[in-house]
Amino acid sequence: AAEEKTEFKLAWSIYVGWMPWGYLEDSGIMGKWADKYGIDVEIVQINDYVESINQYTAGAFDGVSATNMDTLSIPSGGGVDTTALIIGDYSNGNDAVILKGEGTLEDLKGASVNLVELSVSHYLLARGLDTVGLKESDLDSVINTSDADMIAAYATSDVKSVVTWNPLVSEITGSNPDATVLFDSSKIPGEILDLMVVNTETLADNPAFGKAVAGAWYEVMALMAAGDEATLTAMAEASGTDLAGYKAQLAATEMFFDPADAVAQTQSSALPTTMTNVAEFLFDKGILGEGAPSADFVGVEYPDGSISGDAGNVKFRFDATYMQMAADGAL
Amino acid sequence: MRLMNHFPGRPGAVALAMLPFVLVLAAYAIGSDIRLTANPADKLLPAPGTIWDTAIRLFTEPDRRSQEILLWNDTFASLARLLGGVAISALIAMIIGMAIGILPYARSGLSGFVAVLSMVPPLALLPILFIVFGLGEVSKVVLIVIGITPFMTRDLSQRVLDIPREQFVKAQTLGASTWVVALNVVLPQLLPRLISNVRLSLGSAWLFLIAAEAVASNVGLGYRIFLVRRYLAMDVILTYVIWITLLAFVVDWLLKTISRKAFPWLEAGL
Amino acid sequence: MRLMNHFPGRPGAVALAMLPFVLVLAAYAIGSDIRLTANPADKLLPAPGTIWDTAIRLFTEPDRRSQEILLWNDTFASLARLLGGVAISALIAMIIGMAIGILPYARSGLSGFVAVLSMVPPLALLPILFIVFGLGEVSKVVLIVIGITPFMTRDLSQRVLDIPREQFVKAQTLGASTWVVALNVVLPQLLPRLISNVRLSLGSAWLFLIAAEAVASNVGLGYRIFLVRRYLAMDVILTYVIWITLLAFVVDWLLKTISRKAFPWLEAGL
Amino acid sequence: MSFVEVSNVWQAYGDRSILERVNVAIEEGEFISIVGASGCGKSTFLRMLLAEETPTKGTIRIDGGEPAVEPNPERGVVFQRYSVFPHLTVRENLVAGEGFATFWGRLFGVQRRAAVERADEMLERIGLNHVADQFPASLSGGMQQRLAIGQALTAKPRVLLLDEPFGALDPGTRLRMHEFLQELRAETNMTVFMVTHDLEEGFKLGDRCLVFDKPRWDPHDPGRYGATITYDFDARNNGIPFQTTKETENVVHAATA
Amino acid sequence: MSFVEVSNVWQAYGDRSILERVNVAIEEGEFISIVGASGCGKSTFLRMLLAEETPTKGTIRIDGGEPAVEPNPERGVVFQRYSVFPHLTVRENLVAGEGFATFWGRLFGVQRRAAVERADEMLERIGLNHVADQFPASLSGGMQQRLAIGQALTAKPRVLLLDEPFGALDPGTRLRMHEFLQELRAETNMTVFMVTHDLEEGFKLGDRCLVFDKPRWDPHDPGRYGATITYDFDARNNGIPFQTTKETENVVHAATA
Ligand SMILES: Nc1ncnc2c1ncn2[C@@H]1O[C@H](COP(=O)(O)OP(=O)(O)OP(=O)(O)O)[C@@H](O)[C@H]1O
Ligand SMILES: Nc1ncnc2c1ncn2[C@@H]1O[C@H](COP(=O)(O)OP(=O)(O)OP(=O)(O)O)[C@@H](O)[C@H]1O
Ligand SMILES: [Mg+2]
Ligand SMILES: [Mg+2]
């Protein structure tokens, strides 16, 4: 139902790797690039991450910041053909399994864990348990806990371990000396990808949209890579922390400042394996919908044209075109 | 004839009563159809048939992992919390309300405080609740209690003050102590008010329950709705919404019936 | 003398009224002190002095980024949404309530529907609301409207039915049309009910507002609480909670005063 | 043809018969008292005269017109309570009486000023000019009923219907209301129907006194048969004197406390 | 010393004086009617007799005892309305009358059975045995007041206080209530105080009739002076006959509608 148009809307929510989106809008960099291509791009902040993806899925936005996992489950699982326009970073310690006191992953056996169920935290936990040969059913239970209340939850005596993401991780480890990180996303590099995904048809009909967004994004990436204080401070404050705090979070984030790195990640041969893992996890949790006959019910296409999952139902595409253009300086 | 003097006949009245429900259903069906035509995998407005299938599945098929029917587990967990919270609130409101209504000292000391308390937004205090009451069942029940008790107390104390003073004087001339007045004059007359009060508060109680379950839980109707929101399973959400509506309706109806049966003296007037 | 016949003197009554507030404050101060002694960096129960400093800062110091005082921005944004939502609800409830109360056809058609609607948990419908009404101001106002209108409508239609039928007949014998009855008999008598009704509903309206602001917003009291909840900035949260309580109290008091001033005939009886 | 013609009127709610075969003809200007046991259907009869209800059988015509289907300004009414509008001052209640027949339900400009003047005259007549700006709730019961009657008269009804208008008043006030009503009658010569519980009052004020009672009685099913007019007394000073009718009290079993 | 001694009683609310210098002595078994203009302080006087309020000055003693500080079983009371408990059946209302003085407020076992028996006797006496199991709301006003009086008597009070007990009843019922009260009096010879709006009623039932009025009047500040007993009539059949006291009506300006 997409056609050529000139006005586009992107949604984003607060997360260390997505703060540049807010800065793009505030600083006018997005506007500059949009003008260059004769279009208009509005970037809207939404508090509730899940709600922002839902909104995108329902068609209220042309693109949204999301992880590879949530993209697969919500828009792609919901039949909205979605393309990863930009791979911004992967979590490299930003997500962590935290235990109160000393211990190892094995100690989680028979324990209950607080996390945002069905989120990347849940996935991280599953991957962590894998490494020590445990399954989720070996736990006592997982308790769905709102990320907004995770810090308060950690402070209660009921809670023994949590899985969460930054800035909550640094908040917890920072103010609780006895907190032990059992497992974090640096152990599964490249599996939790933070993307900007857009509607495939919209992108196909409006290449200018892709170019403008990619151009603007990598201009800010360059500023960040150069350690531009003003830029970083603005992002830090917008995320409710200070420069030092934001830098600490960035340290646990593998930002692809250089578009070439992002292209490399997109073309990485590990990506299909990751996506298959993710799809299996989602299917196991029933997230792909009851109509999903198997874990590979949604097809995922990669830059080289290969497909994992159902080739007849490709709804998620990794496309390096625009990142490549940025890398080539062709924007 | 004036519009106000036109009465629908018996079948007309029934048809009219159904009409808005039919309209809403039709509007939904059309909206759903439009979206599904555009994108057959659309999750936002599933077809009524899909919802029906989902509902059947939710009510009858056990979960793969736990071999239990989640909907029933959720229902029992939520109802237990709801009724527990409401019962505790009712008890507290009853006692404080009676104290405020009967004892001038309690009135001076508590009525202002309760009025202020009833203005505090309880949701904002959740973090403190967690720390004090933990993340378990207690904090959910406590959120309900904190959420509805001040309002109930205010209302019940007003109801006590509405009891004609003549009855208090009469009871005293019959030798009743303060305690006997509370037990034999105020309490029985307050019970029907308590029930209508509970009926009024149940809406808020559901709200607080859903809010509490959304924050930290692993079973419950509110928990499930917020969980499946993560993948926009609107068929599940709508089934749960309709189910909650039905439960709320039944609870309300039960309370109304109890009130009518238990307090014949209220209706004896006409 | 019976306890119920003991009245506190004037100064005693004032002291008693202050007592529970003082006790809560003291309990908080002690709890805070214990936690801070154990861990000086504890954020959960900041010292009263810290809260005071934070409050002063929030009320007076502009945000560095926007050069605006966020608390006031939040307050104006939230109040605008709240009052907008409540005003729209009141209008709808008034019109439908009057229709149900006056017209037998509307009564047959709508009263069941409204009763069912009032049982639907609006929080569970949030995702749909946001899709249909977008993420702007509209959806927040709509959540309030959906949340409180059915209840208000039910109550107001009951109030219309409580108006003695005699007045309707009398008006007709004076030549009044249905429209004139609605405008000149029912409406003026319903207005004071509407105000007490709004006062009752404001608590829920705040709840829905805070819930809506938590999901999608970038300004507002509920948004700010939600935002800082992630960092457990209890000094900010508590300041906002107290501020909301105060606002709620003032709004309630204003409505009460308006009602008393505007409807002298209600009090003329005594 | 008589002014008010009640011909073969029946009224039943569900399968409970309340009134049956009620026939009566009333001349213009007559004052009709209606008495009868509690629950026998007096108010029901009045409601049918008012056209608030339509009879299940039979017709009621005023001045030979078509049977009315709803209350209209032809018929004024005063109930035991709630007959005035609590949200309007005493004067406004009277002005409203005229204004309600217009589209907006209120008068403006010249019309309004004229109505206020007429209202002030009426206030004088019903002795309420000193409380013109008070609200009904601050008036005594007797004053409220005087206002209700005055208000009913502003619409110039052809018949005035009173349902126990003085039932809630204390005896002294009641007596003064009798005087008031008799004075008003002397001035206007209205056709009046008045339901009362008080036989004495009925005979004192009425020209004719209709007694409602059940002529038939099924002990197994009390709701089976309805009441009708069993006696129709001439109650004028020069008719059957009051004393001799006292013995009907047993027939009527009226006024059971 | 008299049975009830009211000596130099004053009552004021804020700086509004309601009653002043009230002195009266009543013998055991007397029936005292109290009349006076609306708002003159009749109910206030009764409330002080009841010890619901204490006078700002002066004392009220019964049988030479200490002035009471709160209502107690020595004083029975019946108000115009709300004097019975709506949530108890007629019989339970009477049984409660005895039970309230116990710790739990209700009787058990033998005691209860005895109380029920006495209640049934009382029901017989007040003519309510046929509605023993109904709730007060389904009773007529007259029946409710009979119940209220019966209930007040179960506690065997030394004085019975009635505040316009028949004010809300219609005239027929009122007459029957007069008979009922007179019969009861004949049986028990209670000391009774009855406030009434109705002068006729006061003189009919009372042995003595106290008239409350303001002896002093400050036109600039109507609340300045309070009322007191301005007349104390002997109202017995063999005292001042009713007719000759009619002229006091102007003095009392009672019963202004
Ligand atoms: N709308 C109605 N539906 C069903 N029954 C009714 C209705 N209106 C009145 N009744 C019944 O009809 C009978 C007559 O009622 P009505 O009010 O006419 O009596 P009444 O003679 O005026 O009595 P009262 O002296 O108590 O006013 C009563 O038994 C009453 O219960
Ligand atoms: N608790 C009170 N506080 C202040 N004023 C009061 C109080 N109780 C009564 N009054 C005032 O005292 C005056 C006397 O009241 P009271 O009820 O004794 O009059 P009353 O003679 O019984 O009148 P009525 O015939 O209307 O019953 C009235 O003006 C009343 O407003
Ligand atoms: Mg009647
Ligand atoms: Mg009085």
Side-chain angles (χ1 to χ4, degrees), chain A residues 106-118:
Chain A
E106 281 90 347
D107 296 331
L108 291 181
K109 188 166 184 179
S112 56
V113 180
N114 290 68
L115 46 73
V116 178
E117 249 185 274
L118 310 182

PDB file of all heavy atoms in Angstrom, chain A residues 106-118:
ATOM      1  N   GLU A 106      24.999 -21.486  37.369  1.00  0.00           N
ATOM      2  CA  GLU A 106      24.428 -22.733  37.877  1.00  0.00           C
ATOM      3  C   GLU A 106      23.548 -22.488  39.110  1.00  0.00           C
ATOM      4  O   GLU A 106      22.596 -23.227  39.358  1.00  0.00           O
ATOM      5  CB  GLU A 106      25.533 -23.742  38.258  1.00  0.00           C
ATOM      6  CG  GLU A 106      26.130 -24.481  37.092  1.00  0.00           C
ATOM      7  CD  GLU A 106      27.327 -23.750  36.515  1.00  0.00           C
ATOM      8  OE1 GLU A 106      27.521 -22.567  36.878  1.00  0.00           O
ATOM      9  OE2 GLU A 106      28.064 -24.342  35.709  1.00  0.00           O
ATOM     10  N   ASP A 107      23.889 -21.432  39.837  1.00  0.00           N
ATOM     11  CA  ASP A 107      23.121 -21.161  41.056  1.00  0.00           C
ATOM     12  C   ASP A 107      21.689 -20.739  40.766  1.00  0.00           C
ATOM     13  O   ASP A 107      20.859 -20.661  41.669  1.00  0.00           O
ATOM     14  CB  ASP A 107      23.809 -20.074  41.881  1.00  0.00           C
ATOM     15  CG  ASP A 107      25.164 -20.538  42.377  1.00  0.00           C
ATOM     16  OD1 ASP A 107      25.302 -21.755  42.572  1.00  0.00           O
ATOM     17  OD2 ASP A 107      26.064 -19.694  42.532  1.00  0.00           O
ATOM     18  N   LEU A 108      21.428 -20.420  39.502  1.00  0.00           N
ATOM     19  CA  LEU A 108      20.055 -20.008  39.170  1.00  0.00           C
ATOM     20  C   LEU A 108      19.110 -21.196  39.192  1.00  0.00           C
ATOM     21  O   LEU A 108      17.895 -21.024  39.209  1.00  0.00           O
ATOM     22  CB  LEU A 108      20.018 -19.354  37.789  1.00  0.00           C
ATOM     23  CG  LEU A 108      20.719 -17.991  37.696  1.00  0.00           C
ATOM     24  CD1 LEU A 108      20.597 -17.452  36.283  1.00  0.00           C
ATOM     25  CD2 LEU A 108      20.110 -17.018  38.687  1.00  0.00           C
ATOM     26  N   LYS A 109      19.649 -22.385  39.185  1.00  0.00           N
ATOM     27  CA  LYS A 109      18.802 -23.573  39.207  1.00  0.00           C
ATOM     28  C   LYS A 109      17.884 -23.530  40.427  1.00  0.00           C
ATOM     29  O   LYS A 109      18.336 -23.376  41.556  1.00  0.00           O
ATOM     30  CB  LYS A 109      19.680 -24.820  39.253  1.00  0.00           C
ATOM     31  CG  LYS A 109      18.881 -26.096  39.071  1.00  0.00           C
ATOM     32  CD  LYS A 109      19.780 -27.286  38.778  1.00  0.00           C
ATOM     33  CE  LYS A 109      18.878 -28.476  38.514  1.00  0.00           C
ATOM     34  NZ  LYS A 109      19.617 -29.669  38.195  1.00  0.00           N
ATOM     35  N   GLY A 110      16.592 -23.611  40.169  1.00  0.00           N
ATOM     36  CA  GLY A 110      15.620 -23.608  41.257  1.00  0.00           C
ATOM     37  C   GLY A 110      15.320 -22.217  41.806  1.00  0.00           C
ATOM     38  O   GLY A 110      14.527 -22.071  42.723  1.00  0.00           O
ATOM     39  N   ALA A 111      15.973 -21.196  41.226  1.00  0.00           N
ATOM     40  CA  ALA A 111      15.720 -19.844  41.701  1.00  0.00           C
ATOM     41  C   ALA A 111      14.677 -19.164  40.809  1.00  0.00           C
ATOM     42  O   ALA A 111      14.336 -19.679  39.742  1.00  0.00           O
ATOM     43  CB  ALA A 111      17.021 -19.042  41.690  1.00  0.00           C
ATOM     44  N   SER A 112      14.192 -18.029  41.250  1.00  0.00           N
ATOM     45  CA  SER A 112      13.317 -17.271  40.354  1.00  0.00           C
ATOM     46  C   SER A 112      14.055 -16.007  39.911  1.00  0.00           C
ATOM     47  O   SER A 112      14.851 -15.449  40.649  1.00  0.00           O
ATOM     48  CB  SER A 112      11.993 -16.932  41.030  1.00  0.00           C
ATOM     49  OG  SER A 112      12.215 -16.249  42.221  1.00  0.00           O
ATOM     50  N   VAL A 113      13.751 -15.627  38.689  1.00  0.00           N
ATOM     51  CA  VAL A 113      14.474 -14.525  38.064  1.00  0.00           C
ATOM     52  C   VAL A 113      13.473 -13.465  37.626  1.00  0.00           C
ATOM     53  O   VAL A 113      12.457 -13.788  37.016  1.00  0.00           O
ATOM     54  CB  VAL A 113      15.265 -15.029  36.840  1.00  0.00           C
ATOM     55  CG1 VAL A 113      16.022 -13.879  36.196  1.00  0.00           C
ATOM     56  CG2 VAL A 113      16.208 -16.150  37.232  1.00  0.00           C
ATOM     57  N   ASN A 114      13.798 -12.211  37.947  1.00  0.00           N
ATOM     58  CA  ASN A 114      12.919 -11.114  37.523  1.00  0.00           C
ATOM     59  C   ASN A 114      13.458 -10.483  36.252  1.00  0.00           C
ATOM     60  O   ASN A 114      14.630 -10.101  36.189  1.00  0.00           O
ATOM     61  CB  ASN A 114      12.842 -10.054  38.608  1.00  0.00           C
ATOM     62  CG  ASN A 114      12.087 -10.541  39.811  1.00  0.00           C
ATOM     63  OD1 ASN A 114      12.540 -11.425  40.525  1.00  0.00           O
ATOM     64  ND2 ASN A 114      10.902  -9.984  40.018  1.00  0.00           N
ATOM     65  N   LEU A 115      12.604 -10.382  35.260  1.00  0.00           N
ATOM     66  CA  LEU A 115      13.028  -9.766  34.001  1.00  0.00           C
ATOM     67  C   LEU A 115      11.785  -9.358  33.221  1.00  0.00           C
ATOM     68  O   LEU A 115      10.658  -9.683  33.599  1.00  0.00           O
ATOM     69  CB  LEU A 115      13.863 -10.762  33.185  1.00  0.00           C
ATOM     70  CG  LEU A 115      13.359 -12.191  33.040  1.00  0.00           C
ATOM     71  CD1 LEU A 115      12.169 -12.290  32.114  1.00  0.00           C
ATOM     72  CD2 LEU A 115      14.485 -13.070  32.514  1.00  0.00           C
ATOM     73  N   VAL A 116      12.029  -8.600  32.168  1.00  0.00           N
ATOM     74  CA  VAL A 116      10.908  -8.279  31.280  1.00  0.00           C
ATOM     75  C   VAL A 116      10.735  -9.491  30.374  1.00  0.00           C
ATOM     76  O   VAL A 116      11.572  -9.765  29.531  1.00  0.00           O
ATOM     77  CB  VAL A 116      11.203  -7.017  30.452  1.00  0.00           C
ATOM     78  CG1 VAL A 116      10.043  -6.756  29.504  1.00  0.00           C
ATOM     79  CG2 VAL A 116      11.422  -5.827  31.357  1.00  0.00           C
ATOM     80  N   GLU A 117       9.665 -10.204  30.617  1.00  0.00           N
ATOM     81  CA  GLU A 117       9.456 -11.450  29.891  1.00  0.00           C
ATOM     82  C   GLU A 117       9.350 -11.211  28.391  1.00  0.00           C
ATOM     83  O   GLU A 117       8.823 -10.177  27.955  1.00  0.00           O
ATOM     84  CB  GLU A 117       8.167 -12.122  30.386  1.00  0.00           C
ATOM     85  CG  GLU A 117       8.422 -13.408  31.158  1.00  0.00           C
ATOM     86  CD  GLU A 117       7.118 -14.077  31.509  1.00  0.00           C
ATOM     87  OE1 GLU A 117       6.544 -13.723  32.559  1.00  0.00           O
ATOM     88  OE2 GLU A 117       6.673 -14.958  30.755  1.00  0.00           O
ATOM     89  N   LEU A 118       9.852 -12.151  27.623  1.00  0.00           N
ATOM     90  CA  LEU A 118       9.763 -12.137  26.171  1.00  0.00           C
ATOM     91  C   LEU A 118      10.593 -11.024  25.547  1.00  0.00           C
ATOM     92  O   LEU A 118      10.450 -10.724  24.371  1.00  0.00           O
ATOM     93  CB  LEU A 118       8.303 -12.009  25.699  1.00  0.00           C
ATOM     94  CG  LEU A 118       7.315 -12.988  26.323  1.00  0.00           C
ATOM     95  CD1 LEU A 118       5.937 -12.768  25.730  1.00  0.00           C
ATOM     96  CD2 LEU A 118       7.760 -14.417  26.106  1.00  0.00           C
TER      97      LEU A 118
END
